[in-house]
Amino acid sequence: MTHGVKPAAVFSALLSDDPAASAFFSDCTTEQKQAIRRQAERIDDPESMQAFVEHLPSAAL
């Protein structure tokens, strides 16, 4: 991420701004949430993180 911002912080902020993604994430099991967080940690730019969050409700877990 740019300027020392951690991917987890960006993920959390974007998730809280997206009701559909937030609802999907809330309904996930603990294991699914951990897998999503691990995947988000590997995303290194804000645009990709935004796309990841926007498409989260259509993810096949």
Side-chain angles (χ1 to χ4, degrees), residues 2 5-6 9 12 15 18 21-22 25 28 30-34 43-44 46 48 50 54 56-57 60:
T2 57
V5 177
K6 294 185 183 254
S12 293
L15 190 64
D18 188 318
S22 182
F25 189 76
C28 288
T30 300
E31 292 81 12
Q32 290 169 326
K33 288 177 182 177
Q34 289 172 342
I43 298 172
D44 60 0
S48 295
Q50 179 71 44
E54 287 175 0
L56 195 57

Side-chain angles (χ1 to χ4, degrees), residues 48-61:
S48 295
M49 185 68 79
Q50 179 71 44
F52 178 74
V53 171
E54 287 175 0
H55 293 98
L56 195 57
S58 64
L61 298 176

Side-chain angles (χ1 to χ4, degrees), residues 36-50:
I36 291 167
R37 286 187 186 112
R38 281 193 301 271
Q39 190 171 356
E41 283 292 326
R42 295 191 301 262
I43 298 172
D44 60 0
D45 67 88
E47 294 81 17
S48 295
M49 185 68 79
Q50 179 71 44

